[in-house]
Amino acid sequence: MSDTWAGLLQVAALVLLLAVSYRPLGDYMAHILTSKKHLRVEKVLYKTMGVDSEADQTWGTYLRSVFAISAVGVLLLYLILRIQHHLMLALGMPKVNADLAYNTAASFVTNTNWQNYSGENTLGYVAQMTGLAVQNFVSASVGIAVVATLIRGFTRSKTDRLGNFWVDLTRIIFRLMLPFSIVFSLVLIASGAVQSLGDHLTVVHTLNGDQSLYTGATASQEVIKELGTNGGGIFNANSAHPFENPTAFTNLLEIYLLLVIGFALPRTFGKMVGSHRQGYTILSVMAIIWIGSLAFSTFVETHHHGINLADGHAALEGKESRFGIPASTLFMTSTTLTSTGAINSWHDSYTPLGGGAAMFNMMLGEIAPGGTGSGLYGMLVLAIVTVFIAGLMVGRTPEYLGKKIRPAEMKYAALYILTTPAVVLVFTGLAMALKGETASISSGNLYDGHPTPHGFSEVLYAFTSMGNNNGSAFGGLSGNTHWWNTAGALAMMFGRFLPMIWVLALAGSLAKQKPVPETEGTLKTASPLFAGMLLGTVLLVVGLTYFPALSLGPLAEGLH
């Protein structure tokens, strides 16, 4: 069977799996976020933490709770990395340098999982499991908790209460993330993924003879890495490593895991607001963007776009040769349209337009379907902007799901849309302006000491990835320096927590309103027309923000 047909069958199987999961998983997540009953283990945790599970919080209190657990997470993970040489199962690994530990702690707490190190040569088992894996669960669950508040902002009226963060977080971890991770970890182990706490240097037989390779608790971390759209792998090769991704079946399973929650959340949204058609509208826009990006990326990679690549027949360089180009671009598209950052091929080796597509996916805000929770709340903010634009066209106050979109709501939406581009472009500009920092660009992408278009793309990709909490990278950039570790950590934290402030403030503003009745002049937001308008808003308002920067990088390189 050709790679093309194999790729098409894999896409068809993936779509079928996602379609089958959409309703039951979406309804289950809605049940988790709305149920009045608490599990026994949850009650014990609430009592231990001193949490009143029946007390709803204002958006400000909810936000402070998010900041509190995130700050504690950064401090604890930083401490673990700094003292790992004293911990059991350290495997002889030394402590992590201060700036790298800070960058890594910020990375995993913000659901970015950017790694300026090689996992198998840097971290022991305890640091991997009690440090990184724990944050994979928590950071993913925080995203779902935040989008729950925004949905409640639409469903509640004349109140300043949006739910209890500690209840939301506990339920998401214990009822969703943990059981799913356990089940699919067993599936991965049965499919050949490694799971071991034995000697980390295991002798394996390869075509090049016997080799001693790091193993570790790979399968268990692989599942939450994908399910929580985290992305940080135990191995530097990430999901291109056969210990993490041994077969074509596991490749499909991992792509499914990183998409399934994001694509099911519109069902959760529709059920909680009392209109499944609203959920289908959001889902359709997500699906169109995902399919369009996949088709474009696969086309440019299979047609060797660019003169030099066509002459050298080099489009296979950096791809996952076990699966072929279509399966590689399927993984790339899915991981950059979510906030996952996992890779099964080397994005730096993609054609200029293929690499540009990966960047553009992240620049859209990773909303198709996006990270766990963050993708849906990003799309809902854009839906509010779309309604506002439509209202301006007809000269009436815009409404969405029975709530008026007033100047206050638009200010929060505008701040949300502008924050991430500001983070990405400001830090990219700083990196390019500081001559000493451009030295981190690979020497092959420097000409007379100045970055080539691809060299600029390495920097732009890095801060696009960090600012959007993705975590993937163009591999030529040497980011493990004092400046890059510090600047990267700041970009990741600004890109994660500033948008959350605007989302929670928006939710609080909506919840205080009294619902307005639907009239003949109300824009039908559960319709193909609105879906088309939303898609146009995504591409024009968000996509064009980055066009000048893309022109200096992948577009300039692709037209060379």
Side-chain angles (χ1 to χ4, degrees), residues 112 114 341 362 366 424 459-473 492:
T112 310
W114 175 274
M362 294 183 287
E366 298 167 331
V424 171
V459 176
L460 179 62
Y461 192 108
F463 282 112
T464 298
S465 176
M466 289 185 281
N468 286 279
N469 303 131
N470 185 274
S472 62
M492 288 184 283

Side-chain angles (χ1 to χ4, degrees), residues 63-79 105-106 109-110 135 138 142 166 493 497:
L63 177 65
R64 288 192 292 273
S65 300
V66 171
F67 282 174
I69 196 168
S70 300
V72 170
V74 170
L75 291 174
L76 285 178
L77 181 50
Y78 177 85
L79 178 63
V109 170
T110 59
Q135 293 308 316
V138 174
V142 166
W166 304 106
M493 288 193 289
F497 297 118

Side-chain angles (χ1 to χ4, degrees), residues 207 265 280 329 457 496 552:
L207 294 176
L265 275 171
Y280 285 125
T329 55
S457 293
R496 174 70 163 178
L552 296 173

Side-chain angles (χ1 to χ4, degrees), residues 383-407:
I384 288 173
V385 173
T386 304
V387 169
F388 180 77
I389 294 172
L392 292 178
M393 292 179 179
V394 298
R396 62 173 284 129
T397 302
E399 302 166 7
Y400 188 50
L401 299 177
K403 297 297 179 74
K404 290 184 178 181
I405 308 304
R406 306 166 302 181

